[in-house]
Amino acid sequence: MKKGTKILGASLLAGSLLFSSHSVMAIQGENPSEHAFDNKVIKRIDVEKIYQNLSHLAVNIGPRVAGTQSEQTTVDYITGKFKGYGLNEVEVQPFQFIKDYKHPSSVSLKVNGRNYETAAFRFSNNTPSGGVSAELVYAGLGTTAEVAHASVEGKIALIKRGTIPFTEKMDNAKKAGAIGVVFINTDNSTPLFSLPANESNLPVLFMKKSDGDELISSLQGNNLTANMSVEGAEFVKATSHNVIATKKTDEK
């Protein structure tokens, strides 16, 4: 039967192009003739071809940023080289990634009818149009234990900044079922902070310390309803590629 050896050509690295056009080989495990095999590979390396490939990638094509025309040119170049090495089964695998983020056009937080000054985190998700209304609950520093104790499921979590990263706090709240998070800063500013570029992020806002402390105080023994709105945010995507070649070998 036929057996294939996969050779991956990352469009930005092109490491497999370092071999000459005479042969492309892959070492699979150790064997008694390992050193002899290494010597065979070394003898087949063509240094001049290495420099030609590197020069073409670095000088002729230049920067190969994912999702750009230069990357596509690189993909075409690697594909052609693989086929030139006799690897006719060459597959180009496109995949999408988040390239940029369009900041929300509208952000608001209203608690029991009062508007609060807030800023959205970079890579915050949108709320549904018109925002979401839910009970506001205080979840301390947003640890796993604190969000569980606050029973944040279906609610908007109010969480203080500090001790653990914002992302971990948001993830803890999300896993516990929160539908949004409002972070309280350690001073009366609302700077721009960023979450990881992930479309599964919750809607996340930032508020100043004085307002947050006031809300924490108001929550003692009282239920507060918050309307949280984040609209117009956009995760901007681009397409990159893997290039994979398969060298078939006969196996009895």
Side-chain angles (χ1 to χ4, degrees):
M1 64 178 180
K2 297 286 187 180
K3 184 177 180 181
T5 298
K6 294 289 187 182
I7 301 173
L8 174 65
S11 58
L12 302 183
L13 299 179
S16 56
L17 300 183
L18 300 184
F19 293 100
S20 75
S21 60
H22 301 297
S23 175
V24 176
M25 299 183 177
I27 299 174
Q28 295 182 336
E30 295 183 0
N31 56 68
S33 59
E34 181 178 334
H35 293 298
F37 184 84
D38 289 347
N39 288 333
K40 283 185 178 181
V41 173
I42 291 171
K43 288 178 181 179
R44 290 173 183 255
I45 293 176
D46 187 326
V47 175
E48 183 59 31
K49 290 187 183 299
I50 291 175
Y51 283 117
Q52 287 175 4
N53 285 320
L54 291 177
S55 176
H56 185 77
L57 292 168
V59 179
N60 296 344
I61 297 178
R64 300 168 299 283
V65 178
T68 64
Q69 181 56 49
S70 293
E71 189 216 21
Q72 182 60 57
T73 301
T74 306
V75 169
D76 296 339
Y77 179 73
I78 293 174
T79 300
K81 284 295 181 180
F82 275 154
K83 290 182 178 180
Y85 295 160
L87 300 168
N88 293 320
E89 293 193 22
V90 182
E91 178 186 3
V92 177
Q93 293 182 337
F95 62 91
Q96 286 197 314
F97 67 98
I98 297 172
K99 181 180 181 180
D100 202 355
Y101 178 75
K102 179 182 175 183
H103 211 65
S105 56
S106 174
V107 172
S108 66
L109 177 69
K110 184 180 291 187
V111 182
N112 279 21
R114 175 182 168 184
N115 288 310
Y116 286 86
E117 178 187 345
T118 56
F121 272 63
R122 181 171 169 80
F123 295 113
S124 164
N125 222 325
N126 288 312
T127 59
S129 180
V132 290
S133 292
E135 183 181 351
L136 182 71
V137 292
Y138 176 54
L141 288 166
T143 64
T144 302
E146 286 174 305
V147 296
H149 179 74
S151 300
V152 301
E153 185 172 2
K155 302 171 185 176
I156 297 170
L158 184 65
I159 298 174
K160 279 189 173 182
R161 178 184 181 182
T163 306
I164 58 176
F166 288 121
T167 302
E168 186 176 344
K169 296 171 187 281
M170 182 201 67
D171 284 342
N172 290 340
K174 182 173 67 175
K175 289 174 184 176
I179 61 173
V181 173
V182 179
F183 287 121
I184 303 170
N185 200 6
T186 52
D187 59 33
N188 286 330
S189 65
T190 54
L192 178 63
F193 282 95
S194 182
L195 299 167
N198 192 324
E199 288 182 288
S200 68
N201 291 340
L202 291 174
V204 179
L205 296 179
F206 207 26
M207 73 186 318
K208 57 187 181 181
K209 183 178 185 300
S210 59
D211 287 341
D213 289 344
E214 178 185 300
L215 286 173
I216 293 171
S217 179
S218 298
L219 281 167
Q220 303 302 316
N222 298 300
N223 290 333
L224 300 180
T225 299
N227 180 274
M228 177 182 188
S229 176
V230 180
E231 298 186 36
E234 181 182 350
F235 290 78
V236 181
K237 296 181 180 179
T239 301
S240 187
H241 306 80
N242 291 320
V243 183
I244 299 176
T246 302
K247 177 179 173 63
K248 283 194 172 182
T249 56
D250 291 324
E251 183 179 284
K252 295 181 180 179

